[in-house]
Amino acid sequence: MKLATLRDGSRDGCLHLISQDLRFMVSAADIAPTLQAAIDRWNVVSPAMQARYQALNAGLLDEALSFDTHNAMAPLPRAWQWLDGSCFLNHADLMQRAYKLDPIDGIQSIPLMYQGAGDHFLGATEDVALPNDAHGIDFEGEFGVVVDDVPMGCSAEQALGHIRLLVQLNDMSLRALGPREMKTGFGFVQAKSSSSFAPVAVTPDELGEAWREGRVHLPLSVEWNGNWFGHPHGGAMNFGFHELIAHAALTRRLSAGTVLGSGTVSNVDRSVGSACIAERRAIEMIERGAAQTPFMRFGDRVRMEARGLDGQALFGAIDQQVVHASN
């Protein structure tokens, strides 16, 4: 299934089913009013949603309307919990080498993760409003998962069965504010603004063979101001999402609707480019002795999209502009 949240004036929007080609939509509000409500009762409501989804794709619903991504919020406009990993160790290695950082103990066997703010996610075409473009504005292309209730101590094998939806996201970072917060050991607050999500969340079966080993085996295409920036492949995750879930659930349960991100998609093959500016700058520091690529400025645009193995649209595209926040 493909699902989206449409604006209706409320904080959590209205749940809709989206056709496979992302052209049409139909409300699912009578089944589950919001995506969070659907995740809370997934086993109960998913059969009815699946039946309506099939009817939508077959063109059998007179009430179907055209789907406009500009009317879509983030699939989950707010989440009980947002956890972001750093599952592409090539990215961590480049940052360590560029900035001459000390190695992180156990990085090969224990996933890196921080707990971010899930109270406000941006839609795919919403402006990213920030106070100062001297803060080192950076985009970060990622994949993510949404889980149902995960018990404490859940194994990685069991965790696969708790993944209900896959998402694509832009985890914005303010690089000038990050170093101090990392040194404190308390994690990110100011250095992480609201993350943005592609308009459609999909069930894993929609990816076909591209979903295996707890990984999205697809490239993520990134453009900055209309120019190619990279298309790194999601299959290069050193830890699969199931392992990320098991790590987070080692000492606590995860509530239904928890969102977990992969961290910046990154590949060893430098010809595929990068999914964030900081990584390109790190490569420049390693190869040329100094960073040359600037961070984003107000007025800049970033576009991100992952398509299926058949070239068909999956999540829809993130396409947004960075603007100055008005008081």
Side-chain angles (χ1 to χ4, degrees):
M1 285 184 289
K2 296 187 176 183
L3 304 102
T5 295
L6 276 292
R7 293 186 176 87
D8 65 354
S10 69
R11 289 177 182 259
D12 300 303
C14 180
L15 180 62
H16 281 66
L17 293 159
I18 310 301
S19 62
Q20 277 193 318
D21 59 8
L22 306 192
R23 294 178 58 200
F24 300 103
M25 67 180 188
V26 65
S27 174
D30 58 317
I31 302 173
T34 66
L35 186 55
Q36 180 62 54
I39 295 293
D40 284 339
R41 304 176 64 243
W42 188 263
N43 290 333
V44 176
V45 302
S46 60
M49 291 198 300
Q50 181 66 39
R52 188 169 299 177
Y53 177 65
Q54 291 173 347
L56 175 64
N57 287 313
L60 301 177
L61 301 180
D62 292 337
E63 63 270 33
L65 300 172
S66 296
F67 176 49
D68 182 355
T69 58
H70 289 84
N71 293 328
M73 306 170 75
L76 272 176
R78 52 180 176 166
W80 293 112
Q81 184 166 213
W82 157 235
L83 300 169
D84 200 19
S86 183
C87 295
F88 295 86
L89 295 187
N90 178 66
H91 177 75
D93 177 66
L94 289 171
M95 303 303 285
Q96 178 187 331
R97 291 165 59 192
Y99 292 97
K100 298 178 174 57
L101 304 174
D102 293 332
I104 300 174
D105 291 340
I107 193 172
Q108 298 288 339
S109 57
I110 303 174
L112 299 176
M113 181 182 290
Y114 77 92
Q115 187 169 32
D119 59 312
H120 179 239
F121 291 144
L122 296 174
T125 61
E126 287 187 70
D127 288 341
V128 180
L130 295 168
N132 193 330
D133 62 2
H135 285 162
I137 303 171
D138 196 359
F139 49 80
E140 290 194 61
E142 305 186 18
F143 293 107
V145 297
V146 183
V147 299
D148 60 12
D149 286 305
V150 179
M152 183 173 64
C154 179
S155 69
E157 182 179 8
Q158 293 168 332
L160 283 172
H162 290 284
I163 296 173
R164 293 307 183 191
L165 296 168
L166 308 178
V167 292
Q168 176 199 313
L169 63 124
N170 175 17
D171 181 43
M172 297 293 292
S173 294
L174 303 178
R175 301 295 185 183
L177 304 179
R180 181 193 173 275
E181 292 190 324
M182 287 189 286
K183 287 180 182 178
T184 67
F186 275 77
F188 298 117
V189 178
Q190 293 179 337
K192 289 291 185 180
S193 61
S194 296
S195 296
S196 308
F197 286 73
V200 177
V202 307
T203 50
D205 60 289
E206 291 287 340
L207 272 67
E209 290 299 314
W211 173 251
R212 61 185 189 275
E213 301 161 339
R215 294 163 171 83
V216 177
H217 288 262
L218 294 171
L220 178 59
S221 296
V222 181
E223 295 178 2
W224 180 13
N225 291 331
N227 299 310
W228 175 87
F229 195 84
H231 58 267
H233 200 276
M237 284 177 73
N238 293 82
F239 301 97
F241 281 110
H242 56 312
E243 295 167 302
L244 203 61
I245 295 166
H247 172 76
L250 178 65
T251 58
R252 56 176 171 173
R253 64 187 295 275
L254 307 181
S255 295
T258 294
V259 185
L260 298 97
S262 66
T264 304
V265 180
S266 178
N267 294 175
V268 173
D269 179 4
R270 293 184 184 174
S271 70
V272 302
S274 299
C276 74
I277 300 172
E279 182 169 298
R280 177 180 281 188
R281 287 169 58 90
I283 292 171
E284 292 169 346
M285 292 170 68
I286 293 168
E287 295 184 346
R288 306 176 190 177
Q292 298 177 336
T293 302
F295 288 111
M296 300 183 82
R297 295 294 184 184
F298 293 141
D300 283 6
R301 298 194 70 89
V302 61
R303 187 181 191 279
M304 303 176 177
E305 184 176 21
R307 288 181 170 266
L309 295 174
D310 57 359
Q312 188 174 18
L314 276 174
F315 307 96
I318 294 172
D319 190 352
Q320 53 189 173
Q321 185 175 38
V322 174
V323 301
H324 186 271
S326 57
N327 295 326

